[in-house]
Amino acid sequence: VKVLTGWEDFHARWRGLRPPLRPHADVVAAINGAIEGADDHVLLLGATPELSGLGARLTAIDWSEAACAVIWPGDDARRRILRADWREMPLGEATVSAVIGDGSPCALASVDDLPRLFARLAAVLRPGGRVAIRCYLSPNAREPLTTVGAEAMAGRIGGFHALKWRIAMALADPAVPVVAIRAAFNALFPDRDALAAATGWDRRLIDEIDAYAGSPARFLFPDAAGLRATIPDSFTDVRFTPAGSYPLAERCPILTMTRRG
Ligand SMILES: C[S@@+](CC[C@H](N)C(=O)[O-])C[C@H]1O[C@@H](n2cnc3c(N)ncnc32)[C@H](O)[C@@H]1O
């Protein structure tokens, strides 16, 4: 039985994606620094190639066949990928020294999945183990869609993907169906050539919004307090630290925390 999660098409489009949707080199360096001294067996949530080089040993987990086949750079003696659900990871208790990821919590479809994910991470991490995951966080006060539209037409949004994420965050509660992101985009920008002229973005890039048509996918964009509230007491030293200077970096901090001893 083929389960459609909405991620299938993402993997076909993935090569064309840019920060904030993929990790900037500064983000990779910050995640590497955050797990220093705890990198002997790293768990990567997703198939993100930019993070696949971290750790003395690395196990990546992604439930999508396409991610494992198309995005993952391949298994070798140091790294491997497993097809599994993060919420039910087939790893032994206290067997990993660090968990890393790029936008992983936001790829979950329901806010109820967040406590399940963090509980599972607490179980597979050794005492003293580290977590360093980039998160997409909505601002505390929701930004009006009309502000996002006006900023874009004034040329004040640094890239098309940053615009897409600002629209998503303006809608998020904290989940947002990706079809709603496209609908809001179409309502804000009925004339895509005018958006292209105002921003200098290629019309083909703008038309990528149509990849969201008919998709069953939902993303999560909690605010910092909302995400923090789903993290159990088994973690300490919980912080959100911005890294890098790519478009929207200020809303994409790295969540770091330590598994209590
Ligand atoms: C890590 S996230 C964000 C993408 C990332 N920013 C990148 O640059 O590749 C996307 C990946 O998470 C995977 N995914 C989403 N929910 C999952 C789950 N519950 N279990 C395992 N993999 C999941 C999807 O298949 C997708 O490949």
Side-chain angles (χ1 to χ4, degrees), residues 7 11 14 21-23 45 48 62-64 84-86 102 136:
W7 283 100
H11 301 110
W14 172 86
L21 271 66
R22 283 181 55 185
L45 299 177
T48 313
D62 197 301
W63 64 8
S64 150
D85 187 329
W86 302 327
D102 190 59
Y136 304 125

Side-chain angles (χ1 to χ4, degrees), residues 84-154:
D85 187 329
W86 302 327
R87 298 164 300 179
E88 294 151 17
M89 277 181 283
L91 296 177
E93 311 282 294
T95 53
V96 306
S97 56
V99 180
I100 62 174
D102 190 59
S104 324
C106 307
L108 296 169
S110 156
V111 73
D112 299 332
D113 291 332
L114 288 170
R116 287 180 65 190
L117 172 68
F118 289 124
R120 193 69 199 121
L121 296 188
V124 301
L125 269 168
R126 286 179 210 152
R130 292 281 287 160
V131 173
I133 301 175
R134 190 166 73 108
C135 296
Y136 304 125
L137 295 187
S138 294
N140 298 342
R142 198 181 295 175
E143 187 174 39
L145 275 171
T146 47
T147 305
V148 181
E151 292 260 295
M153 292 308 285

